[in-house]
Amino acid sequence: MPATISSRVVATNHPPRCNHISAQRLSPSSTALVPPCGAERRYQYAKSSTGVEVQQVVTDDTQADVLVSIGELARSTGLAVRTIRFYCDEGILESRRSAGGHRMFDADSATERLLLVRRLRALGLGLSSITEVLQGERSITEVIAAESARLDIEFRSLAWRRASLRAVETATPPQRTERLALLAAAQDGSAVHDSLVRFWRRILARIPRRDVDIYVGWNVPEPPADPSADEVVAYAELARLVADPEMKSVVQQQLLRNRPELIRDHRDLYADVDHALREVVPLVADGVRPRGGSELDRFVNAHAVARGERDSLRFREQLLIDATDTDCRIHRYWALTGQLLGTRITVGRAHNWLYTALAHSTDVAEAPAA
């Protein structure tokens, strides 16, 4: 405390105004420069701990509040004056004006606020997020979680770019031009995944959304978080396949088979075929060769019932007319999908098993009686 404090009342032509900043501590440093409405203002001057003359304000119901200049605040926090001024202009830090029009700050609250801003900025948080924390709109936990999620996306994007560069780097000179074109069209793993999902949603448009989501979740690979060069190339090739204008009709022909206009209820057909595929999955996993049996009978019967017909040799032969199961694009699509999904048995592998079994069953000796 100073040995002597001279006190004087500063006259003003402006009407008293309410102070919206509440006092935080009632000690030798407390209250705002502008007192509550109706309170008398008494300005005092004293030497601060650094020897700089600072202004103190005493109101009828508070004690003195130590105010510091922007220069002293900059020295105590290690921030540049222009940075503090910028934070004031952005509404992050509150300042008050002295009688001479200079910015003045509550020493404790301003220092605490600036240190918090500095630490959050060091973590990479943007000013908009920091402002939300300071204004109580979001908690520190919430903004940090959001920033962490944003970084996850950024890291995945960087990992994809790194793998793409390695894929081009390791390509032979004759391959390089084609690979550049392939990867340039699939610059982001998430965007490629979205294109795959859209493709299957168009294929399965007549199926309940819940069933489509299950199908997509099992058969459409997620972009690898840290892909290898080969995985990026495989994923990019999948994107190129689904972008083929003919791919949709080729896949629909495989799923619906011959005479799709006769199908009465696509939902029922999908459900019955799905049951047959589920029965085939363990057979494929165990390496069982395609053969006739209950699994194939269920598959053929699903298509027969959907068209109002019965399973017969003739009907099985009709299911093979204009079949696209051997189309190289379909085989390539499911081969690439298998490369990305590992040991998982996809619909493509199960469907191919049933197609091969169906082709074998057209032998009269294996076909059921009409």
Side-chain angles (χ1 to χ4, degrees):
M1 293 292 292
T4 305
I5 299 179
S6 60
S7 177
R8 59 191 179 88
V9 176
V10 180
T12 176
N13 294 326
H14 300 288
R17 55 189 179 92
C18 291
N19 175 30
H20 65 280
I21 304 174
S22 60
Q24 297 188 6
R25 284 197 304 132
L26 295 180
S27 64
S29 58
S30 65
T31 79
L33 175 60
V34 182
C37 292
E40 181 185 358
R41 301 173 185 172
R42 295 192 301 278
Y43 295 89
Q44 299 176 339
Y45 296 85
K47 296 291 185 179
S48 70
S49 59
T50 61
V52 177
E53 186 178 74
V54 297
Q55 196 175 51
Q56 290 182 313
V57 180
V58 178
T59 64
D60 291 341
D61 53 354
T62 64
Q63 297 179 12
D65 183 15
V66 176
L67 301 176
V68 295
S69 68
I70 193 170
E72 188 170 25
L73 186 60
R75 287 190 291 274
S76 65
T77 60
L79 294 173
V81 169
R82 64 178 180 274
T83 301
I84 298 176
R85 187 177 294 114
F86 172 76
Y87 288 158
C88 290
D89 295 340
E90 292 296 313
I92 293 176
L93 182 66
E94 296 172 341
S95 65
R96 314 162 199 177
R97 295 288 180 177
S98 67
H102 300 290
R103 295 180 195 261
M104 303 298 292
F105 304 86
D106 177 81
D108 289 341
S109 64
T111 299
E112 181 181 355
R113 198 174 185 90
L114 286 176
L115 289 178
L116 176 59
V117 172
R118 187 175 186 176
R119 290 161 184 165
L120 292 177
R121 288 291 286 165
L123 292 176
L125 269 67
L127 289 180
S128 59
S129 297
I130 294 174
T131 301
E132 290 174 342
V133 170
L134 296 176
Q135 293 178 350
E137 297 175 2
R138 298 171 72 188
S139 67
I140 293 181
T141 300
E142 290 173 332
V143 297
I144 288 179
E147 180 66 13
S148 179
R150 187 192 68 78
L151 287 176
D152 286 341
I153 295 173
E154 184 175 338
F155 286 150
R156 285 197 295 269
S157 177
L158 291 174
W160 184 273
R161 289 178 55 196
R162 180 184 60 189
S164 297
L165 292 173
R166 289 175 178 172
V168 174
E169 181 184 19
T170 57
T172 62
Q175 293 177 323
R176 194 157 293 162
T177 299
E178 180 185 357
R179 186 160 290 184
L180 275 171
L182 177 69
L183 296 174
Q187 299 179 22
D188 180 78
S190 297
V192 174
H193 181 264
D194 291 344
S195 71
L196 298 177
V197 172
R198 287 194 300 271
F199 173 78
W200 285 108
R201 291 204 187 284
R202 291 195 299 267
I203 295 292
L204 304 173
R206 300 184 182 185
I207 308 304
R209 180 64 177 263
R210 178 178 58 86
D211 294 332
V212 175
D213 290 341
I214 294 173
Y215 184 99
V216 167
W218 184 258
N219 296 283
V220 176
E222 293 280 348
D226 188 14
S228 65
D230 290 340
E231 287 174 327
V232 165
V233 171
Y235 217 65
E237 193 173 344
L238 283 176
R240 183 170 64 182
L241 284 169
V242 299
D244 184 335
E246 297 180 358
M247 189 65 171
K248 177 183 176 182
S249 61
V250 169
V251 174
Q252 284 182 327
Q253 178 71 13
Q254 182 195 29
L255 297 180
L256 302 179
R257 313 215 66 83
N258 191 38
R259 302 181 298 161
E261 69 278 0
L262 299 180
I263 297 174
R264 299 172 176 179
D265 191 320
H266 284 76
R267 295 188 179 189
D268 288 345
L269 173 61
Y270 173 84
D272 292 341
V273 169
D274 182 62
H275 291 155
L277 293 171
R278 290 176 184 273
E279 291 180 354
V280 168
V281 166
L283 301 179
V284 176
D286 292 340
V288 177
R289 296 175 64 85
R291 54 165 173 75
S294 61
E295 302 85 11
L296 177 60
D297 292 343
R298 180 186 287 273
F299 174 76
V300 174
N301 188 66
H303 281 280
V305 170
R307 293 167 172 80
E309 299 189 28
R310 296 178 58 188
D311 185 0
S312 65
L313 174 60
R314 177 174 173 274
F315 182 77
R316 293 188 178 209
E317 290 174 339
Q318 288 177 341
L319 288 180
L320 294 172
I321 295 175
D322 297 328
T324 58
D325 301 79
T326 58
D327 189 291
C328 61
R329 290 166 293 188
I330 289 180
H331 279 274
R332 184 61 178 162
Y333 180 91
W334 290 114
L336 292 168
T337 300
Q339 178 181 334
L340 293 164
L341 292 178
T343 59
R344 184 185 303 177
I345 307 301
T346 62
V347 165
R349 293 179 63 184
H351 219 289
N352 188 62
W353 191 98
L354 285 168
Y355 165 75
T356 305
L358 175 64
H360 292 164
S361 76
T362 54
D363 185 324
V364 176
E366 295 187 22

